Amino acid sequence: MTATEPASPRRLLTGLAAYVVWAAITLFSMAWLRPGTHSLLDSIRHEVGLNFVLAILFLFILARLNRWSDLAFVRPESARSLRVLWFPALYLAFFGAIAAFSGVPLPARQILFVLANVALVGLSEEFMFRGVLFRALRSRLRTWPAILFTSVLFGGIHVFNVFITGELLSAAVQAVAATLSGFVFMALLLRTGSLWVPIVYHALFDLGTFLAGANSVAHAQDPEPAALVKVVVPLLMVLPNFLYAIYLLRKIPNEPPRRS
């Protein structure tokens, strides 16, 4: 392929098709395995999510069949590159402080299920979005449009949580919060060169938010907060991380599509 030839749309089409199949496996198999509406915390604290395992297996087979070697399942570029984690780590310290002072409101058995599931979610979602989808978009788009579309599609998939929780407002808020968080995971990938960094941070961040959410419910006198609180608090929680991500991404060049 010469420099003037347009890149084949095959990888982009494959990546978008993978997004649809992955979403179906992740969301609708969960609804099938656990019919009815329930909280997200309740859905991951009683058993290991088979839907997450199937989604990861699907992506692994897809990547091997297509011989995608650029998904960044490698070590970070250098120990120095990990310095960017100082601010995201403050979130983890905050969640740890909540657990230390308020206690963990779940039995040990349920905590193990939560740990296993957030690890699977972190691997599955980062594999799909910052791995498969981002690289597919980069085959046809410049860097920044690819970052934006990846983050928006990552957030958008969370709207479908309404089929699990039955709460449209909560699902919409989760979608916006996930879009903002998507920029953080993207920044960690691009600044460290390793997909493992956002995978691990994603899992730990989810663990912290789930345990903090369980703690707030366990200690709340009114278990049903006002709608305004349900909207504002989650967005305020992720806003500093989003602003830090924009700071990290400020010098990322808007390079032309990568030929593949």
Side-chain angles (χ1 to χ4, degrees), residues 5 7 20 27 37 39-40 58 79-80 86 94 103 124-125 132 140 160 175 179 186 191-192 195 204 207 212 237:
E5 281 186 274
V20 174
L27 296 171
T37 58
S39 70
L40 291 176
F58 161 70
R80 185 176 182 179
W86 73 269
F94 172 71
S124 177
E125 293 189 348
V132 172
R140 301 290 287 182
F160 292 97
T179 299
M186 184 61 70
R191 290 295 298 268
T192 66
L195 189 61
L204 293 176
L207 175 64
M237 276 292 297

mmCIF file of all heavy atoms in Angstrom, residues 5 7 20 27 37 39-40 58 79-80 86 94 103 124-125 132 140 160 175 179 186 191-192 195 204 207 212 237:
data_model
loop_
_atom_site.group_PDB
_atom_site.id
_atom_site.type_symbol
_atom_site.label_atom_id
_atom_site.label_comp_id
_atom_site.label_asym_id
_atom_site.label_seq_id
_atom_site.Cartn_x
_atom_site.Cartn_y
_atom_site.Cartn_z
ATOM 1 N N GLU A 5 -2.625 5.685 -1.024
ATOM 2 C CA GLU A 5 -3.773 4.795 -1.082
ATOM 3 C C GLU A 5 -4.623 4.943 0.182
ATOM 4 O O GLU A 5 -4.088 5.037 1.289
ATOM 5 C CB GLU A 5 -3.300 3.346 -1.181
ATOM 6 C CG GLU A 5 -2.856 2.930 -2.554
ATOM 7 C CD GLU A 5 -2.547 1.454 -2.550
ATOM 8 O OE1 GLU A 5 -1.417 1.092 -2.202
ATOM 9 O OE2 GLU A 5 -3.440 0.661 -2.880
ATOM 10 N N ALA A 7 -6.765 3.717 3.278
ATOM 11 C CA ALA A 7 -6.764 2.494 4.077
ATOM 12 C C ALA A 7 -8.051 1.726 3.826
ATOM 13 O O ALA A 7 -9.107 2.292 3.599
ATOM 14 C CB ALA A 7 -6.653 2.845 5.562
ATOM 15 N N VAL A 20 -20.947 -4.347 18.314
ATOM 16 C CA VAL A 20 -22.342 -4.778 18.391
ATOM 17 C C VAL A 20 -22.447 -6.169 19.026
ATOM 18 O O VAL A 20 -23.263 -6.398 19.923
ATOM 19 C CB VAL A 20 -22.988 -4.779 16.993
ATOM 20 C CG1 VAL A 20 -24.397 -5.367 17.045
ATOM 21 C CG2 VAL A 20 -23.032 -3.367 16.425
ATOM 22 N N LEU A 27 -24.524 -7.439 27.550
ATOM 23 C CA LEU A 27 -25.750 -6.895 28.134
ATOM 24 C C LEU A 27 -26.915 -7.880 28.107
ATOM 25 O O LEU A 27 -27.559 -8.115 29.123
ATOM 26 C CB LEU A 27 -26.139 -5.607 27.413
ATOM 27 C CG LEU A 27 -25.136 -4.453 27.551
ATOM 28 C CD1 LEU A 27 -25.521 -3.317 26.622
ATOM 29 C CD2 LEU A 27 -25.071 -3.974 28.994
ATOM 30 N N THR A 37 -35.335 -6.817 36.938
ATOM 31 C CA THR A 37 -34.506 -5.642 37.189
ATOM 32 C C THR A 37 -33.848 -5.756 38.562
ATOM 33 O O THR A 37 -34.436 -6.264 39.512
ATOM 34 C CB THR A 37 -35.351 -4.354 37.135
ATOM 35 O OG1 THR A 37 -36.414 -4.446 38.101
ATOM 36 C CG2 THR A 37 -35.960 -4.172 35.752
ATOM 37 N N SER A 39 -30.120 -3.940 40.893
ATOM 38 C CA SER A 39 -29.022 -2.983 40.870
ATOM 39 C C SER A 39 -27.785 -3.627 40.266
ATOM 40 O O SER A 39 -27.628 -4.847 40.264
ATOM 41 C CB SER A 39 -28.708 -2.495 42.288
ATOM 42 O OG SER A 39 -28.116 -3.538 43.044
ATOM 43 N N LEU A 40 -26.881 -2.773 39.750
ATOM 44 C CA LEU A 40 -25.648 -3.291 39.184
ATOM 45 C C LEU A 40 -24.799 -3.978 40.248
ATOM 46 O O LEU A 40 -24.150 -4.986 39.982
ATOM 47 C CB LEU A 40 -24.856 -2.156 38.529
ATOM 48 C CG LEU A 40 -25.481 -1.564 37.261
ATOM 49 C CD1 LEU A 40 -24.642 -0.388 36.774
ATOM 50 C CD2 LEU A 40 -25.615 -2.615 36.173
ATOM 51 N N PHE A 58 -14.728 -13.950 23.187
ATOM 52 C CA PHE A 58 -15.064 -13.499 21.835
ATOM 53 C C PHE A 58 -14.004 -12.542 21.295
ATOM 54 O O PHE A 58 -13.530 -12.697 20.158
ATOM 55 C CB PHE A 58 -16.435 -12.814 21.844
ATOM 56 C CG PHE A 58 -16.681 -11.940 20.654
ATOM 57 C CD1 PHE A 58 -16.872 -12.489 19.397
ATOM 58 C CD2 PHE A 58 -16.706 -10.557 20.787
ATOM 59 C CE1 PHE A 58 -17.088 -11.675 18.281
ATOM 60 C CE2 PHE A 58 -16.924 -9.738 19.691
ATOM 61 C CZ PHE A 58 -17.104 -10.297 18.435
ATOM 62 N N ALA A 79 9.040 3.057 33.391
ATOM 63 C CA ALA A 79 8.542 3.311 34.747
ATOM 64 C C ALA A 79 8.154 4.773 34.903
ATOM 65 O O ALA A 79 7.205 5.109 35.621
ATOM 66 C CB ALA A 79 9.604 2.919 35.769
ATOM 67 N N ARG A 80 8.855 5.637 34.200
ATOM 68 C CA ARG A 80 8.563 7.068 34.287
ATOM 69 C C ARG A 80 7.177 7.395 33.744
ATOM 70 O O ARG A 80 6.508 8.303 34.233
ATOM 71 C CB ARG A 80 9.626 7.852 33.518
ATOM 72 C CG ARG A 80 9.491 9.355 33.641
ATOM 73 C CD ARG A 80 10.640 10.064 32.936
ATOM 74 N NE ARG A 80 10.540 11.511 33.082
ATOM 75 C CZ ARG A 80 11.408 12.378 32.588
ATOM 76 N NH1 ARG A 80 12.470 11.930 31.914
ATOM 77 N NH2 ARG A 80 11.242 13.670 32.773
ATOM 78 N N TRP A 86 -0.537 9.439 39.248
ATOM 79 C CA TRP A 86 -0.596 10.036 40.585
ATOM 80 C C TRP A 86 -1.988 10.598 40.887
ATOM 81 O O TRP A 86 -2.509 10.419 42.006
ATOM 82 C CB TRP A 86 0.460 11.132 40.749
ATOM 83 C CG TRP A 86 0.161 12.403 40.002
ATOM 84 C CD1 TRP A 86 0.541 12.710 38.740
ATOM 85 C CD2 TRP A 86 -0.602 13.522 40.481
ATOM 86 N NE1 TRP A 86 0.076 13.951 38.376
ATOM 87 C CE2 TRP A 86 -0.632 14.479 39.426
ATOM 88 C CE3 TRP A 86 -1.252 13.825 41.677
ATOM 89 C CZ2 TRP A 86 -1.301 15.690 39.553
ATOM 90 C CZ3 TRP A 86 -1.915 15.036 41.795
ATOM 91 C CH2 TRP A 86 -1.930 15.956 40.746
ATOM 92 N N PHE A 94 -9.066 7.629 48.050
ATOM 93 C CA PHE A 94 -10.338 8.111 48.611
ATOM 94 C C PHE A 94 -11.275 6.945 48.896
ATOM 95 O O PHE A 94 -11.874 6.851 49.976
ATOM 96 C CB PHE A 94 -10.979 9.097 47.642
ATOM 97 C CG PHE A 94 -12.373 9.518 48.013
ATOM 98 C CD1 PHE A 94 -12.599 10.345 49.101
ATOM 99 C CD2 PHE A 94 -13.462 9.074 47.279
ATOM 100 C CE1 PHE A 94 -13.892 10.737 49.456
ATOM 101 C CE2 PHE A 94 -14.747 9.459 47.616
ATOM 102 C CZ PHE A 94 -14.958 10.293 48.714
ATOM 103 N N GLY A 103 -16.015 0.893 57.015
ATOM 104 C CA GLY A 103 -16.149 -0.546 56.910
ATOM 105 C C GLY A 103 -16.710 -0.957 55.563
ATOM 106 O O GLY A 103 -17.359 -0.177 54.874
ATOM 107 N N SER A 124 -12.590 -6.754 29.878
ATOM 108 C CA SER A 124 -13.514 -6.821 28.748
ATOM 109 C C SER A 124 -13.725 -5.455 28.107
ATOM 110 O O SER A 124 -13.624 -5.307 26.877
ATOM 111 C CB SER A 124 -14.862 -7.391 29.214
ATOM 112 O OG SER A 124 -15.797 -7.412 28.153
ATOM 113 N N GLU A 125 -14.003 -4.439 28.912
ATOM 114 C CA GLU A 125 -14.315 -3.121 28.353
ATOM 115 C C GLU A 125 -13.085 -2.453 27.754
ATOM 116 O O GLU A 125 -13.172 -1.807 26.698
ATOM 117 C CB GLU A 125 -14.963 -2.243 29.428
ATOM 118 C CG GLU A 125 -16.339 -2.758 29.834
ATOM 119 C CD GLU A 125 -17.095 -1.797 30.741
ATOM 120 O OE1 GLU A 125 -16.478 -0.825 31.245
ATOM 121 O OE2 GLU A 125 -18.299 -2.024 30.951
ATOM 122 N N VAL A 132 -9.680 -2.938 20.688
ATOM 123 C CA VAL A 132 -10.238 -3.236 19.366
ATOM 124 C C VAL A 132 -10.846 -2.007 18.694
ATOM 125 O O VAL A 132 -10.505 -1.677 17.545
ATOM 126 C CB VAL A 132 -11.294 -4.358 19.481
ATOM 127 C CG1 VAL A 132 -12.030 -4.547 18.152
ATOM 128 C CG2 VAL A 132 -10.641 -5.664 19.916
ATOM 129 N N ARG A 140 -9.049 4.730 10.153
ATOM 130 C CA ARG A 140 -9.746 5.610 9.213
ATOM 131 C C ARG A 140 -9.822 7.063 9.673
ATOM 132 O O ARG A 140 -10.191 7.944 8.888
ATOM 133 C CB ARG A 140 -11.181 5.107 8.992
ATOM 134 C CG ARG A 140 -11.288 3.710 8.445
ATOM 135 C CD ARG A 140 -10.833 3.613 6.998
ATOM 136 N NE ARG A 140 -11.811 4.220 6.095
ATOM 137 C CZ ARG A 140 -11.699 4.254 4.779
ATOM 138 N NH1 ARG A 140 -10.622 3.708 4.209
ATOM 139 N NH2 ARG A 140 -12.611 4.811 4.030
ATOM 140 N N PHE A 160 -27.793 1.157 28.055
ATOM 141 C CA PHE A 160 -28.523 -0.108 28.037
ATOM 142 C C PHE A 160 -28.596 -0.767 29.412
ATOM 143 O O PHE A 160 -29.259 -1.804 29.567
ATOM 144 C CB PHE A 160 -27.894 -1.056 27.020
ATOM 145 C CG PHE A 160 -28.081 -0.608 25.599
ATOM 146 C CD1 PHE A 160 -27.088 0.103 24.948
ATOM 147 C CD2 PHE A 160 -29.269 -0.865 24.927
ATOM 148 C CE1 PHE A 160 -27.261 0.532 23.645
ATOM 149 C CE2 PHE A 160 -29.452 -0.444 23.624
ATOM 150 C CZ PHE A 160 -28.449 0.262 22.977
ATOM 151 N N ALA A 175 -24.091 6.738 31.634
ATOM 152 C CA ALA A 175 -23.556 6.897 30.281
ATOM 153 C C ALA A 175 -22.683 8.142 30.173
ATOM 154 O O ALA A 175 -21.588 8.103 29.594
ATOM 155 C CB ALA A 175 -24.709 6.961 29.274
ATOM 156 N N THR A 179 -18.631 8.202 29.708
ATOM 157 C CA THR A 179 -17.988 8.935 28.609
ATOM 158 C C THR A 179 -16.823 9.763 29.139
ATOM 159 O O THR A 179 -15.725 9.756 28.556
ATOM 160 C CB THR A 179 -19.003 9.861 27.913
ATOM 161 O OG1 THR A 179 -20.061 9.067 27.366
ATOM 162 C CG2 THR A 179 -18.339 10.659 26.801
ATOM 163 N N MET A 186 -8.350 6.392 28.130
ATOM 164 C CA MET A 186 -7.643 6.646 26.883
ATOM 165 C C MET A 186 -6.315 7.359 27.141
ATOM 166 O O MET A 186 -5.288 7.031 26.540
ATOM 167 C CB MET A 186 -8.517 7.478 25.950
ATOM 168 C CG MET A 186 -7.910 7.718 24.579
ATOM 169 S SD MET A 186 -7.617 6.184 23.673
ATOM 170 C CE MET A 186 -9.295 5.704 23.326
ATOM 171 N N ARG A 191 -0.494 7.625 27.128
ATOM 172 C CA ARG A 191 0.678 8.149 27.827
ATOM 173 C C ARG A 191 1.621 7.050 28.326
ATOM 174 O O ARG A 191 2.800 7.307 28.549
ATOM 175 C CB ARG A 191 0.242 9.032 28.999
ATOM 176 C CG ARG A 191 -0.385 10.360 28.559
ATOM 177 C CD ARG A 191 0.625 11.251 27.834
ATOM 178 N NE ARG A 191 1.742 11.612 28.678
ATOM 179 C CZ ARG A 191 1.798 12.702 29.426
ATOM 180 N NH1 ARG A 191 0.777 13.567 29.419
ATOM 181 N NH2 ARG A 191 2.855 12.961 30.161
ATOM 182 N N THR A 192 1.114 5.830 28.529
ATOM 183 C CA THR A 192 1.974 4.749 29.005
ATOM 184 C C THR A 192 2.298 3.738 27.907
ATOM 185 O O THR A 192 3.260 2.977 28.037
ATOM 186 C CB THR A 192 1.328 3.992 30.178
ATOM 187 O OG1 THR A 192 0.154 3.299 29.717
ATOM 188 C CG2 THR A 192 0.954 4.955 31.301
ATOM 189 N N LEU A 195 -2.028 -1.192 27.311
ATOM 190 C CA LEU A 195 -3.448 -1.363 27.604
ATOM 191 C C LEU A 195 -3.663 -1.921 29.001
ATOM 192 O O LEU A 195 -4.741 -1.755 29.587
ATOM 193 C CB LEU A 195 -4.079 -2.299 26.560
ATOM 194 C CG LEU A 195 -5.604 -2.436 26.565
ATOM 195 C CD1 LEU A 195 -6.277 -1.095 26.307
ATOM 196 C CD2 LEU A 195 -6.060 -3.460 25.529
ATOM 197 N N LEU A 204 -9.956 -1.316 39.368
ATOM 198 C CA LEU A 204 -9.865 -0.771 40.731
ATOM 199 C C LEU A 204 -10.846 0.379 40.938
ATOM 200 O O LEU A 204 -11.428 0.528 42.022
ATOM 201 C CB LEU A 204 -8.434 -0.313 41.005
ATOM 202 C CG LEU A 204 -7.379 -1.425 41.077
ATOM 203 C CD1 LEU A 204 -5.996 -0.828 41.255
ATOM 204 C CD2 LEU A 204 -7.701 -2.396 42.205
ATOM 205 N N LEU A 207 -14.227 -1.131 41.385
ATOM 206 C CA LEU A 207 -14.308 -1.715 42.717
ATOM 207 C C LEU A 207 -14.588 -0.637 43.755
ATOM 208 O O LEU A 207 -15.456 -0.793 44.619
ATOM 209 C CB LEU A 207 -13.003 -2.437 43.048
ATOM 210 C CG LEU A 207 -12.889 -3.006 44.469
ATOM 211 C CD1 LEU A 207 -13.923 -4.086 44.695
ATOM 212 C CD2 LEU A 207 -11.478 -3.551 44.710
ATOM 213 N N ALA A 212 -18.137 1.970 47.516
ATOM 214 C CA ALA A 212 -18.609 3.243 48.063
ATOM 215 C C ALA A 212 -20.112 3.356 47.926
ATOM 216 O O ALA A 212 -20.805 3.847 48.835
ATOM 217 C CB ALA A 212 -17.921 4.405 47.344
ATOM 218 N N MET A 237 -18.166 13.374 40.683
ATOM 219 C CA MET A 237 -17.147 12.396 41.065
ATOM 220 C C MET A 237 -16.119 12.181 39.955
ATOM 221 O O MET A 237 -14.924 12.030 40.218
ATOM 222 C CB MET A 237 -17.822 11.059 41.413
ATOM 223 C CG MET A 237 -18.334 10.976 42.829
ATOM 224 S SD MET A 237 -16.987 10.956 44.039
ATOM 225 C CE MET A 237 -16.155 9.432 43.587
#
